[in-house]
Amino acid sequence: MSESNSIQVASTQTVRRRIVKTAEYEVICDFIQKYQGLAIDCELELINKFPDFEKLTLKCILETILTNRMRSQYWRYDANAKTYLKMYEERCQKSSHLDRSILLGIAREADIGPVMMCRSLLKVKYKITAKEKLTQLIRSPHLIKDHQFSANVAQCVCSDSQDGPLIALRRRVLGEEYEFKLKQMANMAGMHYYDEHDLRRLGYDKTPDIKMLLPFLYKGEVINWIESKANFGNIKSHKTYIQQQLNSYCNRFGAGIVIYWFGYQEETATLPDNSMGIIVLDDFPAKADIQLLDLTDDCESYDSTKPNNCDQKPIT
């Protein structure tokens, strides 16, 4: 490819954003709140309607809104479970073959999460009271003796983009992937640190993902720890993290950085709550913004368990 063609291709590529202004965030949230239908369809609509933003940023905002809705309205699902079960049985009788999409259709019409609806129906249909039994049937729908119902539950599990065992696994793997990414980038930057497993062995209970063995400077600020969040940092969730985690890190270790890999609400980074030493980023600190201590020039060996008498020179 010629140089002129390369420049033309680069210029046509859209740089999608992860940091969302409050006005934009409210528009996105309003669209999600008013959307009628399955979350998986809403996700596709979001990506098409807001092309300026990263896909994972939009997915995380959707996840936050729907999770809060589900927690506040779960009682409604159980209250209407008998009605939905009757609708399901009537449609089964009208169907001449094994139809796997009946429950999914009811969930779409009722604007309910498919997996959450399945939980409510399983409670009523089989009079299940034990949470462990309910979780087992959602994880392994083939254990449901009614083959038609089993196939419908399996279809709901596969079609729900916000709830269920597949989504729980995806979120766990995603979190671990970005923790690994954080450590990999810290290693490449030449940082020395303890990870949370090291800290727990040392007796700490609440631990950041990495605690700097040697603090570094980020734009002139001393940084002692970095926390990885594989989600979107809106103001409400960030304040919750501060109360539950970040405050204790600052009190114990000093100032640090929290990385929201999928972006954050712009005002999150400037909240007064951050004043005790919390810096909010959407990526690993840029090389130009950090300054490390160089221990290699004047030291033939280094032992982290012993006092260091070497002159520590900043890397420029």
Side-chain angles (χ1 to χ4, degrees), residues 179 182-183 186-187 191-200 202 204 206-216 222-228 248-257 304:
E179 284 181 26
L182 170 62
K183 294 175 186 178
N187 291 335
M191 295 177 178
H192 301 276
Y193 60 86
Y194 291 121
D195 64 19
E196 55 186 335
H197 302 294
D198 298 325
L199 292 170
R200 284 174 185 162
L202 292 172
Y204 292 100
K206 290 185 177 182
T207 61
D209 289 310
I210 62 174
K211 159 68 174 67
M212 311 316 299
L213 183 59
L214 295 172
F216 66 93
V222 177
I223 300 300
N224 298 279
W225 53 267
I226 304 179
E227 177 74 4
S228 169
S248 63
Y249 300 164
C250 290
N251 290 332
R252 183 168 293 174
F253 304 120
I257 291 173
S304 64

Side-chain angles (χ1 to χ4, degrees), residues 197-266:
H197 302 294
D198 298 325
L199 292 170
R200 284 174 185 162
R201 283 196 296 270
L202 292 172
Y204 292 100
D205 49 357
K206 290 185 177 182
T207 61
D209 289 310
I210 62 174
K211 159 68 174 67
M212 311 316 299
L213 183 59
L214 295 172
F216 66 93
L217 296 180
Y218 173 75
K219 295 184 177 180
E221 297 289 333
V222 177
I223 300 300
N224 298 279
W225 53 267
I226 304 179
E227 177 74 4
S228 169
K229 296 293 183 187
N231 52 29
F232 180 84
N234 63 36
I235 291 175
K236 183 178 180 180
S237 63
H238 180 64
K239 286 185 175 181
T240 301
Y241 284 134
I242 289 176
Q243 294 172 357
Q244 296 179 352
Q245 295 177 306
L246 306 183
N247 266 345
S248 63
Y249 300 164
C250 290
N251 290 332
R252 183 168 293 174
F253 304 120
I257 291 173
V258 56
I259 302 176
Y260 290 105
W261 295 102
F262 305 145
Y264 55 85
Q265 194 174 344
E266 187 176 48

Side-chain angles (χ1 to χ4, degrees), residues 166-184:
L166 298 178
I167 301 305
L169 176 61
R170 182 183 69 83
R171 289 172 182 165
R172 185 168 68 251
V173 169
L174 201 61
E176 292 175 357
E177 176 187 344
Y178 278 87
E179 284 181 26
F180 177 79
K181 179 179 179 179
L182 170 62
K183 294 175 186 178
Q184 190 177 45

Side-chain angles (χ1 to χ4, degrees), residues 5 76 219 228 251 259 270 279 305:
N5 287 339
R76 181 168 67 93
K219 295 184 177 180
S228 169
N251 290 332
I259 302 176
T270 57
I279 295 174
T305 63

